[in-house]
Amino acid sequence: MLEQFFRLKEHDTSVRTELLAGLTTFLTMSYIVFVNPDILSGTGMDKGAVFVATCLAAALGSLIMAFVANWPIGMAPGMGLNAFFAFTVVAQMGYTWQQALGAVFISGVVFVILTVTGIREWLVAGIPPSLRSAIAAGIGLFLGIIALGSAGIVVANPATKVGLGDLTHATTLFAVLGFFIIAALGAMKVRGAILIGILAITILSIVTGYTQFQGVFSAPPSLEPTFFKLDILGALNTGFFHVILVFVLVEVFDATGTMIGVATRAGLIRPGNPGRLGRALLSDSCAIVAGSMLGTSSTTAYVESASGVQAGGRTGLTALTIAVLFLLALFLSPLAAIVPPYATAPALLYVACLMLRELVDVRWDDITESVPAAIAAVAMPLTYSIANGLAFGFISYVAIKTLSGRFRDIHPATLLVAVLFVIKYALFPG
């Protein structure tokens, strides 16, 4: 049955290889079941419910990818998008988490429409590669400052805006140790390096008395506190226009780029032959809508899926394995509940470091390309907003290209996004 459905022989793979590939990918991306509840619970959302929503959204998204696209790509709530949801939309802009979920739902519906009509591929093709790389790096910087704050390494300072925290405090030292463990294991190519680092610091915190052990396994918590709690009408408030725009843009760049990169590495996409890219794009679009109903931020394709591809994964059986493992993770809720912020902070910082490597693809020899890219990346952490970074990057790109006599270099998609952001600032400058 597996052979007939997933066409294993056609992809030169086996059930054993696919199962091992799924396990490999799960180990590299399973840290999200601890990190996502920690981030979103800061908005007032029930941590146990978010944990369940995270596992279910990841499982459902991976199942859709397995059966619709037959690609070996794992899905889960995305890093960066969850930070934008919690720290910008709710904490900074003052909207409720229910309205933020409504915005995720609307962005998912828009995403489906863009995918079905082909506009999504037009948008991706029209965004300058330098700006696209800078956006990924800027999100990394944004995650970095959040991580350093959670670890107690960076603190507020009235004189200098930010300052150095107390490096002698035990929990801060725990976070530093966790980061070193993750980075060292990553350098040795140990699978599940991030997960191991989070668990190591959590155990250390329990042993030293900073965290109370509450067990490892239990029945999953109730999903009721977040299930279908999205406020779509509240999200349709005109002030939410640019929030939805940012969700859509980041989803477009992140998920599309990830899927193309992983699928190319797996040999599923070849020059002139996109394979099942259309189905894969539709799969992740539908997963966003489903995730918002469950009660979590946008679901997206995970670049960690490349580890499973490296292990031989070539079909949707890999994604099916990932989905099953996320369902089994539902029974780890006591462990997820006791993971402290300073244990997840090292994971955020490590992911931030990995995202910064995107800066090598910026065209630094061309001022009209590099300056907007730098502005986009720098503005995200310094304004504490992915939205502002995106806006500043697109607007400055169009302005600099136009003023330097190179207006013809601007793709209509880039011009459209820049104009939309200008309209946003003109109508809602706050």
Side-chain angles (χ1 to χ4, degrees):
M1 182 185 69
L2 293 176
E3 163 59 36
Q4 291 179 345
F5 193 88
F6 293 110
R7 305 203 304 273
L8 302 179
K9 289 182 180 178
E10 179 184 326
H11 291 90
D12 193 24
T13 185
S14 65
V15 172
R16 180 179 180 276
T17 299
E18 294 292 304
L19 294 178
L20 287 175
L23 175 61
T24 299
T25 297
F26 174 77
L27 288 175
T28 60
M29 65 183 287
S30 57
Y31 64 87
I32 195 62
V33 303
F34 302 115
V35 178
N36 200 51
D38 188 54
I39 290 176
L40 297 190
S41 62
T43 66
M45 300 177 74
D46 182 85
K47 191 172 184 178
V50 174
F51 167 77
V52 174
T54 300
C55 293
L56 291 179
L60 183 58
S62 299
L63 282 173
I64 295 173
M65 185 63 67
F67 291 112
V68 175
N70 194 24
W71 272 14
I73 294 179
M75 305 282 290
M79 295 293 291
L81 286 164
N82 53 6
F84 175 65
F85 181 107
F87 299 106
T88 300
V89 179
V90 177
Q92 190 180 65
M93 300 176 65
Y95 292 103
T96 67
W97 60 264
Q98 292 92 339
Q99 290 173 322
L101 283 178
V104 173
F105 175 85
I106 295 169
S107 72
V109 172
V110 172
F111 212 34
V112 171
I113 295 171
L114 294 179
T115 300
V116 172
T117 59
I119 297 176
R120 176 176 178 176
E121 294 182 47
W122 176 75
L123 276 172
V124 172
I127 304 305
S130 292
L131 200 53
R132 193 161 42 201
S133 298
I135 290 168
I139 293 174
L141 289 171
F142 184 58
L143 291 177
I145 196 168
I146 291 170
L148 292 172
S150 297
I153 297 173
V154 170
V155 297
N157 186 307
T160 59
K161 306 295 184 184
V162 294
L164 186 65
D166 181 5
L167 297 184
T168 64
H169 195 281
T171 58
T172 301
L173 293 175
F174 288 170
V176 172
L177 175 62
F179 176 75
F180 289 156
I181 290 173
I182 293 172
L185 292 176
M188 294 186 289
K189 301 189 184 303
V190 174
R191 293 166 184 168
I194 295 177
L195 178 63
I196 293 171
I198 292 174
L199 294 178
I201 298 306
T202 300
I203 293 171
L204 179 61
S205 183
I206 292 171
V207 171
T208 54
Y210 284 91
T211 300
Q212 188 68 38
F213 181 66
Q214 300 174 8
V216 178
F217 301 103
S218 77
S222 172
L223 182 63
E224 194 278 333
T226 61
F227 186 60
F228 267 94
K229 293 299 190 294
L230 60 169
D231 181 3
I232 298 174
L233 292 179
L236 288 172
N237 182 293
T238 52
F240 246 84
F241 167 77
H242 77 293
V243 172
I244 296 169
L245 176 62
V246 171
F247 272 129
V248 170
L249 288 177
V250 176
E251 288 158 2
V252 164
F253 303 145
D254 186 27
T256 308
T258 296
M259 281 193 287
I260 291 175
V262 174
T264 300
R265 187 176 301 184
L268 300 172
I269 291 180
R270 297 179 179 87
N273 180 16
R276 293 194 165 204
L277 178 60
R279 291 191 175 200
L281 295 176
L282 182 61
S283 298
D284 82 314
S285 305
C286 295
I288 294 171
V289 176
S292 68
M293 295 178 182
L294 292 168
T296 184
S297 52
S298 300
T299 303
T300 187
Y302 261 59
V303 71
E304 284 84 353
S305 301
S307 63
V309 168
Q310 188 68 28
R314 293 295 182 272
T315 73
L317 183 54
T318 294
L320 175 60
T321 304
I322 296 167
V324 171
L325 291 172
F326 269 114
L327 289 177
L328 293 176
L330 282 168
F331 299 94
L332 297 174
S333 59
L335 182 59
I338 63 174
V339 173
Y342 50 83
T344 57
L348 282 177
L349 186 58
Y350 181 68
V351 172
C353 293
L354 296 182
M355 294 179 77
L356 285 176
R357 62 188 172 193
E358 294 289 337
L359 288 173
V360 300
D361 294 325
V362 174
R363 291 178 53 190
W364 294 107
D365 59 334
D366 185 343
I367 294 295
T368 65
E369 296 281 338
S370 61
V371 169
I375 289 174
V378 171
M380 288 186 193
L382 295 185
T383 64
Y384 216 68
S385 169
I386 294 174
N388 289 335
L390 278 171
F392 294 175
F394 277 95
I395 293 171
S396 61
Y397 183 89
V398 171
I400 294 172
K401 284 285 188 181
T402 301
L403 293 174
S404 60
R406 297 170 60 177
F407 181 79
R408 291 184 178 180
D409 290 353
I410 304 171
H411 191 280
T414 302
L415 181 61
L416 173 63
V417 174
V419 169
L420 290 175
F421 274 123
V422 168
I423 293 173
K424 179 270 166 186
Y425 283 119
L427 297 178
F428 310 100

